[in-house]
Amino acid sequence: MAVRPITIIGHKALHQPTRRVREVTDDVRELVADMFDTLEAADGAGLAANQVGVRLRIFVYDCAADDDVVQRGVVINPVLEKGTVPPGDPDPGELEGCLSVPGEHFPTARSDWARVTGTDLDGNEVVVEAQGGTLARCLQHETDHLDGKLYVERLTPTYRTQARDAVKSRGWESARITKWDPLQQEAEDV
């Protein structure tokens, strides 16, 4: 399979809701395989299809649950359920990052509990549930991507300003730099 370039904040594919997958075709299977390759090359925890420029409701994940056991999988047409997100500024140690905002990490409030239901590549029901840990955060983060929302849009005002400054200093607000190759670790002008 192949490693695909990852879209960067400002790219329109990241700011639009994705479309439901109606049928798992060979192209969808190839996309999922490429997404796993891309996720591994970028050393990420999760990757949504629109992060590689495809507006389909699919994400892959490879991260630890609350028991530190690594879980890996794909969810097609995910539906998210989650607990309450604590109000106010999050703990400064609750850093979240994103492959579409490379090199930046900001404290982000998330629910401790999350469950995603959907299907796998064979049409079987998938239920992924996590209480705390990276997996609970990942399920919420990737589903947000598929809804056209980035984690920096969930930041409290304190951290949102820092994120805006970081995006501006990297030149991403112009959307001139729209992709980066995890194998080369550099943003590309497109």
Side-chain angles (χ1 to χ4, degrees), residues 48-173:
N50 54 343
Q51 288 184 273
V52 292
V54 179
R55 288 190 49 216
L56 290 177
R57 198 160 179 81
I58 302 170
F59 75 79
V60 298
Y61 60 95
D62 189 351
C63 58
D66 56 326
D67 56 5
D68 291 330
V69 173
V70 174
Q71 295 190 29
R72 177 182 161 101
V74 58
V75 185
I76 299 172
N77 299 325
V79 175
L80 174 69
E81 298 172 73
K82 64 182 181 179
T84 304
V85 176
D89 278 345
D91 180 313
E94 292 180 11
L95 294 178
E96 190 164 321
C98 179
L99 297 176
S100 291
V101 189
E104 301 296 336
H105 297 84
F106 298 98
T108 309
R110 294 283 187 183
S111 170
D112 284 338
W113 173 82
R115 175 176 41 222
V116 168
T117 56
T119 59
D120 65 14
L121 288 169
D122 297 319
N124 300 314
E125 183 181 36
V126 171
V127 178
V128 185
E129 186 171 350
Q131 179 70 43
T134 305
L135 183 58
R137 185 173 291 277
C138 178
L139 297 175
Q140 295 168 77
H141 182 107
E142 299 311 325
T143 305
D144 272 355
H145 271 302
L146 300 177
D147 293 337
K149 186 171 223 134
L150 292 170
Y151 88 102
V152 294
E153 297 171 57
R154 292 215 178 270
L155 300 177
T156 60
T158 303
Y159 297 111
R160 191 174 306 131
T161 300
Q162 292 176 20
R164 267 195 217 116
D165 290 347
V167 166
K168 185 175 180 179
S169 72
R170 290 181 181 257
W172 296 333
E173 83 284 354

Side-chain angles (χ1 to χ4, degrees), residues 32-50:
V32 169
D34 288 354
M35 288 172 66
F36 276 118
D37 287 349
T38 304
L39 181 64
E40 183 178 340
D43 195 27
L47 184 69
N50 54 343

